[in-house]
Amino acid sequence: MNIRIIFLFLLHSIKCLVMKKLFSLFLLFFLCTTTTFAGFEISGNPVTMPSPPLDMDNVYIFNGLVNASITYRDTENRTFNWKSYTTDPAVTQDILSESGVGSTTLYNLTDATGYILEIVGVRTYYIYVFDYNLHPSTVNLLDVADQNCDETIFDMKVDIQSMEYYTSTGTKYTVIRNTALLEYNTIDENNITWDDAIQKFKETTETRTINNANTTFILTDVYANPTTFALYGDYYAEKFKKDSVQRHVEPVKPFIQAWAVADKLALNEIEDDDKYEGKDIKSSAPLNVSFTVHTNLPRMYYKWQIYNTNEPTVLVGQSTEESFQYTFSKEVEDGKYIARLDVVTVEGRCLASDSVMISLSSVKLEVPNVFTPNDDGMNDNFCVAFKSITKFEMWVYNRWGRLVFHTTNPEVCWDGYIGNAKAATGPYFYVIKATGADGSKQNQDGDINLLR
């Protein structure tokens, strides 16, 4: 009995603790969702200096101070005291004092000035302000020193004025800005996509950090054509989009993509895993193929060579045009063909190659044994399925030997009519004489059942 009482007492205690914990969590959630937190609001769209020292709250760089202001909003009415300093935070000038208010705003900010906000009984903030226009960076040089097939070498020179500030302990620091930024349009090598509508690769924008503002640097990206380089004197010039020098340079590292598009086949031609556009065409002869090149370079010399992989030294077709058409005729044997593309820039600076595979499949001729011309959209016509057929003739007879249908085109189907009248249901007899692209005879005869 004593053990049972002890157990019930412990169970009751646990329940109380759990309920108390849940109530505390609910109260905390309520307070968090109904309280407006204190903090700064800065007008004038400044750039905040990354990673200020521990004895400094913030350093703001403005693109002009005409509309700049600093506001602090609190959750309660406070006493706010604003002071300013330049080098020594112990030597200050009183600016503004407000009591019994929930917020305070400081206007008429000045360049290279520290501001102290004392919230009486709470804490003190230290802030430094700069007008970037009074401490500009200047790009004096951005030239291409050399260019080859893999890289562009740039010479650059940037003059940067120093911006010094003093923290709450009087320690002097310099705003880190002696890093130039190069912004340029290029092509994403990991996702190279050709836009057929504009006949260009889809471009992207990249920004490169140059750690030394007076240096020679190298770029090895796949560039757009032409590439526009914009050199900004420092991090803040890039943020404010000012003080840049631009250069237009032809792309350095070429990208070449051989591309092919084949004619679409007849609806009743056997397709299997056929593919009619890209770098790996799968189909059957006869086949018309349009070859073209996608490249980021403007002026090129081209050489196309087509050969069977079994006889790489024997050319079956060639061209020196950027785009051309070639027909794999009915005499072409089944197999795999390579369309190799070699290109060189007009200046002779870059040479690149690419290729397209054309796979021609075997001869096929398949004839169904039933069709249902009842206009339900399913199996309404008597059609043969074919691949690589170059000659074709088919006759269809009724049970009494009367000719009811004839065609010399494997794409043409019998719709189940004799003249303008529906043919009777029942068996019909067909005779097919056909020749494959490889010269093989594909003659067939048999029965076809017409059902409605």
Side-chain angles (χ1 to χ4, degrees), residues 109-229:
L109 304 179
T110 57
D111 173 62
T113 301
Y115 292 97
I116 303 172
L117 172 60
E118 178 188 15
I119 306 175
V120 178
V122 180
R123 65 160 294 182
T124 301
Y125 291 94
Y126 288 81
I127 298 169
Y128 220 88
V129 168
F130 286 100
D131 181 351
Y132 179 83
N133 295 313
L134 301 178
H135 310 270
S137 60
T138 305
V139 178
N140 292 323
L141 176 66
L142 176 64
D143 281 334
V144 176
D146 193 13
Q147 200 173 26
N148 57 47
C149 198
D150 296 316
E151 62 188 23
T152 295
I153 302 174
F154 282 94
D155 284 335
M156 62 171 283
K157 181 177 177 60
V158 180
D159 290 336
I160 299 177
Q161 296 185 21
S162 176
M163 291 194 295
E164 296 177 344
Y165 64 96
Y166 296 82
T167 66
S168 62
T169 59
T171 306
K172 182 174 74 172
Y173 287 89
T174 299
V175 174
I176 298 175
R177 56 182 301 206
N178 60 340
T179 299
L181 292 175
L182 186 72
E183 191 174 80
Y184 52 97
N185 56 316
T186 184
I187 299 168
D188 184 358
E189 288 185 282
N190 298 316
N191 184 27
I192 296 177
T193 305
W194 178 261
D195 190 330
D196 198 56
I198 61 175
Q199 292 292 297
K200 288 180 62 177
F201 290 105
K202 293 182 179 179
E203 297 178 6
T204 184
T205 300
E206 302 218 0
T207 301
R208 170 171 175 158
T209 300
I210 312 297
N211 291 323
N212 190 340
N214 301 296
T215 186
T216 296
F217 63 93
I218 298 173
L219 290 180
T220 58
D221 302 62
V222 176
Y223 301 139
N225 176 45
T227 303
T228 300
F229 296 94

Side-chain angles (χ1 to χ4, degrees), residues 380-401:
D380 284 331
N381 299 296
F382 171 38
C383 303
V384 298
F386 68 95
K387 178 169 284 190
S388 293
I389 296 297
T390 58
K391 291 183 179 180
F392 179 87
E393 193 165 10
M394 180 174 70
W395 300 263
V396 179
Y397 302 90
N398 64 13
R399 69 184 69 183
W400 296 284

Side-chain angles (χ1 to χ4, degrees), residues 158-412:
V158 180
D159 290 336
I160 299 177
Q161 296 185 21
S162 176
M163 291 194 295
E164 296 177 344
Y165 64 96
Y166 296 82
T167 66
S168 62
T169 59
T171 306
K172 182 174 74 172
Y173 287 89
T174 299
V175 174
I176 298 175
R177 56 182 301 206
N178 60 340
T179 299
L181 292 175
L182 186 72
E183 191 174 80
Y184 52 97
N185 56 316
T186 184
I187 299 168
D188 184 358
E189 288 185 282
N190 298 316
N191 184 27
I192 296 177
T193 305
W194 178 261
D195 190 330
D196 198 56
I198 61 175
Q199 292 292 297
K200 288 180 62 177
F201 290 105
K202 293 182 179 179
E203 297 178 6
T204 184
T205 300
E206 302 218 0
T207 301
R208 170 171 175 158
T209 300
I210 312 297
N211 291 323
N212 190 340
N214 301 296
T215 186
T216 296
F217 63 93
I218 298 173
L219 290 180
T220 58
D221 302 62
V222 176
Y223 301 139
N225 176 45
T227 303
T228 300
F229 296 94
L231 181 63
Y232 297 93
D234 62 8
Y235 171 79
Y236 303 100
E238 191 271 336
K239 292 297 182 184
F240 297 137
K241 297 300 178 186
K242 63 194 306 179
D243 303 330
S244 68
V245 171
Q246 296 189 356
R247 293 287 183 268
H248 299 279
V249 182
E250 286 190 358
V252 221
K253 189 175 179 181
F255 180 81
I256 306 299
Q257 183 182 69
W259 201 254
V261 179
D263 287 348
K264 184 173 177 60
L265 307 182
L267 293 178
N268 54 318
E269 185 167 357
I270 299 172
E271 295 191 12
D272 295 338
D273 295 325
D274 292 0
K275 184 178 179 182
Y276 307 115
E277 181 175 1
K279 298 178 65 61
D280 187 7
I281 301 294
K282 297 178 181 179
S283 191
S284 59
L287 182 70
N288 294 322
V289 181
S290 297
F291 294 97
T292 190
V293 56
H294 298 162
T295 179
N296 61 330
L297 296 177
R299 299 184 301 276
M300 308 285 290
Y301 292 123
Y302 307 93
K303 183 173 72 173
W304 291 88
Q305 294 180 313
I306 304 174
Y307 58 87
N308 191 306
T309 56
N310 293 325
E311 295 181 286
T313 60
V314 180
L315 297 182
V316 299
Q318 56 185 326
S319 175
T320 57
E321 299 295 325
E322 178 180 358
S323 300
F324 75 105
Q325 286 191 340
Y326 181 81
T327 299
F328 292 87
S329 65
K330 59 187 179 181
E331 290 80 16
V332 171
E333 296 182 0
D334 294 342
K336 293 185 177 181
Y337 292 80
I338 296 292
R340 177 184 170 86
L341 169 66
D342 294 306
V343 297
V344 63
T345 58
V346 171
E347 302 85 356
R349 180 167 52 85
C350 296
L351 174 68
S353 300
D354 198 22
S355 62
V356 172
M357 174 75 75
I358 307 293
S359 301
L360 300 180
S361 57
S362 302
V363 175
K364 290 184 180 180
L365 182 63
E366 298 176 0
V367 185
N369 56 19
V370 65
F371 75 114
T372 57
N374 53 11
D375 297 325
D376 65 352
M378 299 176 59
N379 197 28
D380 284 331
N381 299 296
F382 171 38
C383 303
V384 298
F386 68 95
K387 178 169 284 190
S388 293
I389 296 297
T390 58
K391 291 183 179 180
F392 179 87
E393 193 165 10
M394 180 174 70
W395 300 263
V396 179
Y397 302 90
N398 64 13
R399 69 184 69 183
W400 296 284
R402 176 190 172 190
L403 179 64
V404 298
F405 179 74
H406 173 254
T407 182
T408 58
N409 187 346
E411 298 180 26
V412 177

